[in-house]
Each structure stands twice: as C-alpha cells, then as structure tokens.
Amino acid sequence: MESIVWQTPANPPHRDDYILREGRRHVRPYYFEFICHVKNRWAGKTIVDMFAEEFKGRPYDYYVSAVKCGRIQVDGEEVPVSFVVRSSQKISHFLHRHEPPVLESDVSVLVKEPDVVTVYKPASVPVHPCGQYRKNTVVGILQAEHDLAPLFPVHRLDRLVSGLLILARNAAKADFFRQQIEAGMVRKQYIAKVIGVSPDEEKIVNANIVYNAREGRSTVEVGDSFGGMPLKSKYASTKFSRISTDGIHSIVLCEPITGRTHQIRVHLQYAGYPIANDDLYLSKVVVPRSANGMDAQKAATVNSVCPTSGSCENEYNEVEKSSSEDFDIDPMCTNCPNLVPKGYERDEEGLWLHCVKYSGPDWVYECPYPDWAVLN
C-alpha cells in the first residue's frame, strides 16, 4: 500500500483540521482506517461481493481496485479479490474520509469545573462520533479547539437540537449523573417554537411512543393491546406551558418526564402544536429531503465501514470543484475533488428546539436562549 499516514479513532482532531466556509464547518478530508468484523450472514462471500452487497455506496469496480491495492485487508493482510471471508475475521477499509459539514457556529464553553464542562451545543452538530461524523462533533471540536479530553456526555441531544450539553470530565462524575437521571431526580427543560397559540395553562401529555428506526421517526400509539398482542410503544410523559405568543407562533417550555426518542417533537405534534420548522413531524407522510441523495441526518447512522454516497446536488459542484486546494486529492476517492461527501443537502437548518436547563438535587446548569425564542 502507498505510504500514507492512516488515522484511527486514537488520533485526536486538531484545530487546523477544520475549514470554515459559507456558514458551514467542514472537515479537511483525511485518510482513515475503518474496522469491522465479519458477521455470520457475510461469511462465505468473497471479500468484493461482501462489500458490494452490504455497502452499496460505492461501485463494484471500486471494491475490486481497493482489494487489489491493499486498501481493503483481512486480519491485517492483503488478500486476492477471490478471498472468501469467515465469521469474526477483522476487516480493515482504508479510505479517504470526507465528513458531512455542520453549521459554522462555535461550541461555546459555558461552565468549566474540575469534573464538569457545560457547553452551548449548536444545532446540526452531533454530540459524539457516530456514522460519518467523527471530528465534526461536539466532543471532537472541544478537543481540537479547547484541549478538553476525555469527555463523557451526560445526556443526549439530537443532532438538530441546540442548547445545554453537560459533559463529565471523568467516568466517576458521569456515573454520578447517570444514577440521578435513572432515579428520576433530574429536571430537564427545553423551549420550542411551535405553530399556533398553545394553551396558557400547563398541559401534560401522557402518550405512549414507538420509534420506527427505518423511517427515523417516532409516533404516538394509542389504545389498548389488540387481540392479546402487547403494544410495541413505551410510556412517555411531557409537561408543556406557554412562555409567549405572537398569535401565529408560541414559545413553549417543555419538560420531558421520560426520555424517549423524539419525545418532545412527537408529543407537540400530538397536542396539535408541532415545532414550526420540524419537517419530519409537520407531515404525517415521510418525504425524503433530497431525491438525489441522503440528508445529513441519515449520515449519523450510516455504517462506518463504507460511508454511503449518492449523486451530488448540482449547486455544490462549482463551489466544491474549486476548493480542492485546501486538501490533497486521492485518486481512488469517490468524493474527490469535492470537499463535501456526495448526496448531502446544502441548506439544512437547526430545529427550533433548545435545551435551556438541567437541575438535580444540589446542582443546576443553564444555557442562554437562542435568537428565534424572541417573538416580535
């Protein structure tokens, strides 16, 4: 294999890894070793067929070339294209990694204590490495720009949600928070900008939620079990109270009692006051964001052995083709010379849902309101 410096998860991100351009934070493409182990259902296939059938984002010919030149290896060794994989073998895929962009906003440190850091998480930035995101994450950016590591996220914030994020600086403190959250001792408060004039008095929504991983959305499941079959949903409860309204939109304080996937979003929809820019829950029909590729939300869950790529939107082409002076072009890369991986939308915006406060028996952390929370 050519003499390239290959990064692994052990390599920390650095400040100069990022390119800020046109309101987006990009990551300079880098060489990376993805590792997985052969699943039972893959066993018996040739190495090329395994990749072509399981990771469809790249053409068959790419995988043939990658195996021939040693960019795909088995148990640390180069193999022929006819090699048949066996269960549990280690597969390494060495490739030129292009991460999806996020909004350019800084990850601002709000509180720095010996055992805890709290930050203002921007919308669109994942909390930790997942799918195609590694450096373009809150944890990665804090390590690169603030030399903060290791960090242990105490709670979840969806990628498109902004606001308070609490991170422990050691495992013991993370466990302290985990125990209090699991014991129901932690109060969580969010604000949302919703359609309509929500009720002035406090409203509690108790509605079971079921999450559909294929569609990437939750729904409320009502009624009792049917025909003796148990409901697939989980109990969920959220408190809502109006903060302000302009007659068209309302700013609503949201307090999830339970912690289900998309709980606040789906409960607001169920109550008749969906988040005003939440495309996923404004319609009962799931509409793909792009007919030509996939949006960055799906990038957070794509299998990391081979990031999916699709046809790049035309609006990117002129900008991206002129940007390759910022990084080295890899002749085998299916994304080069573009900076952005193929198939990602340009005009993604943050969700109007923001975490403002977490509090426990003897602690409280808060975050400033976003600009959209002020109604004229």
Side-chain angles (χ1 to χ4, degrees):
M1 197 189 318
E2 59 263 57
S3 57
I4 292 173
V5 177
W6 297 97
Q7 297 186 34
T8 71
N11 296 102
H14 298 282
R15 185 180 293 269
D16 59 2
D17 289 340
Y18 301 97
I19 300 171
L20 305 181
R21 177 182 297 151
E22 297 185 345
R24 296 290 186 270
R25 178 190 291 268
H26 302 265
V27 173
R28 201 180 308 277
Y30 55 98
Y31 290 98
F32 191 78
E33 178 186 2
F34 284 106
I35 296 173
C36 75
H37 290 83
V38 177
K39 299 179 181 179
N40 288 335
R41 63 185 174 85
W42 301 350
K45 299 179 180 180
T46 67
I47 185 67
V48 173
D49 286 346
M50 185 202 83
F51 269 92
E53 293 173 16
E54 298 294 333
F55 310 109
K56 302 180 186 296
R58 296 170 189 267
Y60 189 91
D61 289 345
Y62 164 82
Y63 292 121
V64 171
S65 298
V67 172
K68 286 182 176 179
C69 73
R71 287 204 178 182
I72 292 177
Q73 298 182 3
V74 180
D75 291 331
E77 302 289 338
E78 296 186 18
V79 296
V81 294
S82 59
F83 182 85
V84 176
V85 300
R86 299 187 303 276
S87 180
S88 300
Q89 285 185 307
K90 173 187 171 183
I91 306 293
S92 296
H93 186 188
F94 302 89
L95 53 75
H96 198 229
R97 185 169 183 174
H98 293 238
E99 294 192 26
V102 298
L103 295 176
E104 188 179 330
S105 306
D106 292 334
V107 178
S108 303
V109 175
L110 301 173
V111 173
K112 185 189 290 186
E113 299 173 346
D115 293 329
V116 178
V117 171
T118 71
V119 302
Y120 187 135
K121 174 195 167 310
S124 85
V125 184
V127 171
H128 51 72
C130 54
Q132 294 200 56
Y133 297 93
R134 176 174 166 257
K135 298 183 180 183
N136 243 353
T137 61
V138 172
V139 171
I141 294 168
L142 287 174
Q143 184 170 12
E145 299 186 349
H146 297 273
D147 197 28
L148 289 169
L151 294 172
F152 302 83
V154 168
H155 59 100
R156 296 180 304 173
L157 278 186
D158 287 346
R159 191 179 63 82
L160 294 180
V161 177
S162 61
L164 176 70
L165 180 65
I166 305 171
L167 304 109
R169 303 184 72 176
N170 55 67
K173 192 66 174 181
D175 192 57
F176 164 82
F177 284 116
R178 180 189 59 78
Q179 291 182 34
Q180 290 197 355
I181 291 173
E182 290 181 353
M185 301 166 64
V186 175
R187 185 182 182 188
K188 301 163 281 187
Q189 295 176 281
Y190 295 72
I191 59 169
K193 183 177 181 178
V194 305
I195 294 175
V197 179
S198 63
D200 189 26
E201 70 280 1
E202 180 178 275
K203 178 180 178 65
I204 299 179
V205 174
N206 295 308
N208 287 18
I209 290 176
V210 60
Y211 179 69
N212 186 317
R214 184 179 62 84
E215 293 185 350
R217 62 182 271 166
S218 294
T219 53
V220 167
E221 189 174 37
V222 296
D224 299 321
S225 60
F226 178 75
M229 295 296 291
L231 297 175
K232 297 179 180 179
S233 57
K234 296 181 179 179
Y235 171 75
S237 178
T238 314
K239 292 181 183 179
F240 298 109
S241 57
R242 191 178 75 206
I243 296 174
S244 62
T245 183
D246 61 3
I248 300 174
H249 296 105
S250 298
I251 302 299
V252 177
L253 178 66
C254 316
E255 298 189 49
I257 308 304
T258 53
R260 310 305 181 198
T261 301
H262 295 184
Q263 175 176 316
I264 294 174
R265 299 165 68 180
V266 72
H267 272 181
L268 282 169
Q269 178 204 42
Y270 178 70
Y273 304 96
I275 295 174
N277 70 341
D278 192 351
D279 292 342
L280 190 61
Y281 290 101
L282 282 172
S283 171
K284 293 184 179 180
V285 179
V286 180
V287 180
R289 289 184 169 218
S290 171
N292 297 321
M294 72 177 187
D295 65 15
Q297 180 69 19
K298 292 182 181 178
T301 56
V302 166
N303 191 303
S304 300
V305 177
C306 178
T308 301
S309 59
S311 58
C312 189
E313 295 186 15
N314 292 334
E315 59 188 272
Y316 265 133
N317 290 346
E318 294 305 316
V319 174
E320 295 303 324
K321 285 181 180 178
S322 64
S323 67
S324 58
E325 68 271 10
D326 292 323
F327 61 93
D328 294 330
I329 301 298
D330 178 64
M332 285 194 62
C333 181
T334 56
N335 288 308
C336 285
N338 293 341
L339 176 59
V340 174
K342 294 177 180 177
Y344 294 93
E345 290 192 339
R346 183 181 183 83
D347 55 354
E348 183 179 59
E349 63 176 1
L351 195 66
W352 286 341
L353 179 62
H354 182 86
C355 181
V356 293
K357 187 176 181 179
Y358 262 60
S359 55
D362 55 359
W363 56 269
V364 58
Y365 295 108
E366 298 182 82
C367 183
Y369 280 22
D371 292 342
W372 53 255
V374 179
L375 298 178
N376 297 324

